Amino acid sequence: MKVTYNWLKDFVEIAISPSALSEKLTMAGIEVKAVVENSGDSVFEIEVTSNRPDWLSIAGLAREVSAITGKRLKRHPDASPVLAKSRQHTEYAIRIEDKTDCPVYTARIIEGVKVAPSPAWLKERLEMVGCRSVNNIVDITNYVLFEMGEPLHAFDADRLQGPCVAVRRARSAEKLVTIDGQERNLSPGVLVITDEKKPVALAGIMGGKDTEVTAATGTVLLEAAIFNPLIVRRGRQLLGIQSEASYRFERSIDWASVDAASLRASAMIIEIAGGKLVQAKRSGSLKRASRSIPLAVDKASRVLGTDITPRQARSMLSSLGFGVKAIGSKGLKVTPPSYRADVKEDVDLIEEIARISGYTKIPTTLPGFIVQEAAVGISDPVRSIKKILVSLGLDEVITHSIVNRGILDGLWRGEGEVLELENPLNKEQDVLRPTLVPSLLGCVAYNLRQKQESIAIFEIAKTYARSGARLSEEYALAIALCGEKKIWHSGGCIQDKPGLLHLKGVIESLFARLGITGYKLAWNEQESIALFQMGSAVLGTLRTLEPALLERFEIKNRGVFVAELAVTELLRHRRVSRRFIPLPRYPAMNRDVSVTVKDSVPAGTLKDAIVRHGGSLLEEAEIIDFYTGKQIENGFKNITFSCRYRSAERTLTEEEVNPVHRAVTEALVREFQARIR
Amino acid sequence: MPGYDSKPIREEIERAAQGINSSRELEEFKIKYLGRKGVLAQLTASIPQLAPSERAAFGKEINALKEKIALLVAEKQGSFAGSVSVSSKTPVDVTMPGIAQPVGRIHVLTQLIEEICDIFVRMGFLVMEGPEVESEYNNFTGLNIPLEHPSREAFDTFYLKRAPQDKERFLLRSQTSPVQVRAMKAYKPPLAVVAPGRVYRPDAVDASHSFMFHQIEGFMVDRGITFADLKGTLELFAKTVFGKDISMRFRPHFFPFTEPSAEVDISCIICKGKGCSVCGRKGWLEILGSGMIHPQVFRNVGYDPSRYTGFAFGMGVERIAMLRYGINDIRLFFENDARFLKEF
């Protein structure tokens, strides 16, 4: 909202500069976004929070300025134009269908006005606060709206059929052309003002074109009313329009300003546009019961952490227009003024005290340390997983949780349904992702376009799905590898292309660090996907993506390898407590065995056989070399295992180890038709 | 050589092996026994001179010796792996690039979230998380935000499509504050919690808006918690993150779930408060919203507002990261350009 320095000065003495005032307002909760000099005045652009509709007027801000600067308000005698005799003797009637929609409606009839352009001072003030000048009558209603915060509307009374005004819900299929020339389709959600026949205005939002004040207008019906904030809000949402009036009605209006504003506008009309006031009609009562709130002043001290005396509290609250009475030595009975509907309980008063004395005056202290039983949350283990992955050379990415349903094709075969948004920003982002994989592919594609050659990324984030009435939201970990990597060794540099086994290696290292053991990696032929299984549970999957699928992400001629794991499953199977395993006291004896077998024999099966036959002396069997190629027959591969034999009780002798290793070797020959090299 | 006894030579080999103390000596040992003119080669060369019946046994002996030597060499090699064979006199082109090992990075937002949470954890706060798909109650009503009220405007919200079986309407949380409601319903005071996480608002994406961003919520409830405590706690936080030299100010503001409420500014870290384009010539940067927890929130979670007081605060992580690192476009956080990630 915009206000001007000089306009404020009409209502309160100001002895400080615009910039000093701007600072004071900001520190009292009226944030001044900008101050702009304009023809000898200063225009303040302020932000008014939704709880303070009373600041949406010059008079209301002036009250605040008075309280925070200690300067007196300038009292203006209430305007009271004399009621004159009408020449036409037309009696206007007001009918309200439902008092909850419109508790009060007042109408003043001014006869014999001369509609003309506004005087320069009026035009200028309105333009400074960003309001376009129309004619003297309309400008006066706007001027009073800005000045007093009560929206008014002037009808051309001669164009109202009846003669009457009624307030009711619009009927389906009714239409109204508003003053901006737009035809509006109405519905029962919208409150309207009608004459005898048809809607003539959207109550609290905008007037109708047909009854607007024009150069031909001679008699004006001046409306000042209270409309239910909810109905104004719903109406303007339904119709998609907002106005200075609806903005104020939605935030609720000071009942005490209804008549004052109507009188002030009437007096201004008579003064500027001539004419005389001939009727003043009202339906509904403007009287409201006053409420009082008890305040224990020591509670203010307890909440704020600084001493407030009853005297200070009393003087600060009085300066804001609150009625204050003492109850005992420490209690106050506080009656908020009519324009402070936001003040409902004692903490609201405590805020006023803090605000007026200044937040700056409140000391800074540190609270006592709160000792709590540490709840086992997920953030610590998630953090440790991230650390492990980073130590393996992967970068963490953060991608959007809202994705396009189409990109899930071929990338999600999970259980349940995808969660759809009711009001997506656009069609490209319409569902909550049930898998992180498409987002990572997006990242891979982006980085390839940026000519990044080696991409190793992961994300840990929520995935979402619905099964029946249950909505699930679970942390997933996804990893993607793509591109080439330079590997230096003592003799030079080679290019390495990561493959599925690199990805498996990352996950194995992660599992090892988390203490996850006993899992199996099973190949699902049908879906070309590898599953990490722990008993019957699936910890996650590992796959090489199809080129056709990658093309959807504009990734061409590249291998991309992705894994996705369920974080809660990983955490369920991780070893939380660790026991020290004594380091070996006796030396190990190593025996290598190099076998040539058919390609179809899995390395894991060979290893299983070695472990089986190696017995208790075999500590570990590790693949140390692998070869397929020209030196070897087509359809065969060569694998070298290094078998480490050790005993925890003694130094092993060759006589003990050799027979075992021979048994291992013979078993490989026997079971896999292996040729020993 | 009938009845060749390999025992003496086996003993000789073992003795020789024991005396090896450097890789040079090991190399000599290998040449002596396994070399082209070495001891074993000579023995092998003598095979044709043997009677055919003895050849096989002799060959076996030689093979056993070979294995023995290979084993000893392997064991010895292991004992001085790497170190000894490199002479400090071997010329190295030190202008060659060092052989880099891959180093991954934690995303800058995660780094900042962890840093901020750790500051509060040191003050006794627990880290908790809540779901991103929330109920209207936890996101709005429980926090004293009426469903039909202008104060809702500040929290435009994504809703989920309602399925017939849903008893209520679900939304994507527009703030991390629902964690207050959840934590307070689950635990009795005293309670001090920080809750980081993703939040969502249907804002069109541009350099300063994103429909998804991160917030950190914090709150503390006990008997006797004051606004002064809120100021002290947040000052400690801001000075830890932005440096001891900053100044701070608390401005009255309105949040439905706190009363009194305050917005917190720090002196502009770019111009030191003189006024620049980053702070909009004001010299101040808004970094968070805060206040004393509204008694209605306490009533909603079953806490007695006459016994307990508490403070709460919330901040946008992207905003703080952008201010601290001078990042000018919020979209950079979610594009994940490897070069961007590696900068932090």
Side-chain angles (χ1 to χ4, degrees), chain A residues 257-318:
Chain A
S257 73
V258 173
D259 240 10
S262 175
L263 286 168
R264 165 99 166 121
S266 302
M268 281 179 76
I269 290 172
I270 293 164
E271 189 189 321
I272 292 168
K276 54 189 182 177
L277 178 63
V278 295
Q279 276 177 51
K281 297 279 179 188
R282 188 178 75 215
S283 178
S285 166
L286 278 169
K287 287 216 176 80
R288 303 213 87 191
S290 66
R291 331 158 269 131
S292 64
I293 301 163
L295 173 69
V297 178
D298 59 343
K299 182 171 176 188
S301 308
R302 277 206 317 275
V303 169
L304 299 177
T306 186
D307 281 339
I308 306 284
T309 66
R311 238 187 88 185
Q312 289 168 322
R314 201 180 168 135
S315 106
M316 286 186 272
L317 291 170
S318 306

Side-chain angles (χ1 to χ4, degrees), chain A residues 465-595:
Chain A
R466 167 199 290 286
S467 61
R470 209 178 71 85
L471 304 183
S472 71
E473 182 178 324
E474 298 283 354
Y475 270 114
L477 157 64
I479 305 173
L481 300 182
C482 173
E484 291 180 340
K485 205 153 122 185
K486 274 186 187 166
I487 296 181
W488 285 87
H489 58 100
S490 49
C493 173
I494 52 166
Q495 296 288 327
D496 185 35
K497 283 198 174 159
L500 206 61
L501 292 180
H502 285 76
L503 187 49
K504 183 191 173 192
V506 167
I507 294 168
E508 281 174 336
S509 304
L510 172 68
F511 284 6
R513 293 281 286 111
L514 292 174
I516 299 174
T517 52
Y519 59 91
K520 287 265 179 310
L521 187 58
W523 180 251
N524 180 327
E525 192 72 56
Q526 206 184 344
E527 300 190 22
S528 300
I529 195 164
L531 305 172
F532 279 101
Q533 290 175 324
M534 180 73 96
S536 60
V538 175
L539 302 182
T541 59
L542 188 64
R543 67 194 285 198
T544 305
L545 291 172
E546 284 299 309
L549 216 155
L550 290 176
E551 258 187 51
R552 274 189 7 226
F553 292 84
E554 288 166 6
I555 300 171
K556 283 173 195 151
N557 306 319
R558 301 279 182 162
V560 180
F561 309 92
V562 295
E564 189 163 40
L565 301 148
V567 172
T568 40
E569 284 294 325
L570 298 190
L571 297 181
R572 189 169 302 141
H573 292 103
R574 109 193 119 127
R575 191 176 59 230
V576 180
S577 62
R578 287 171 189 273
R579 298 271 312 161
F580 166 67
I581 300 162
L583 302 179
R585 291 174 60 196
Y586 299 99
M589 207 177 275
N590 288 312
R591 289 288 184 277
D592 295 351
V593 56
S594 184
V595 295

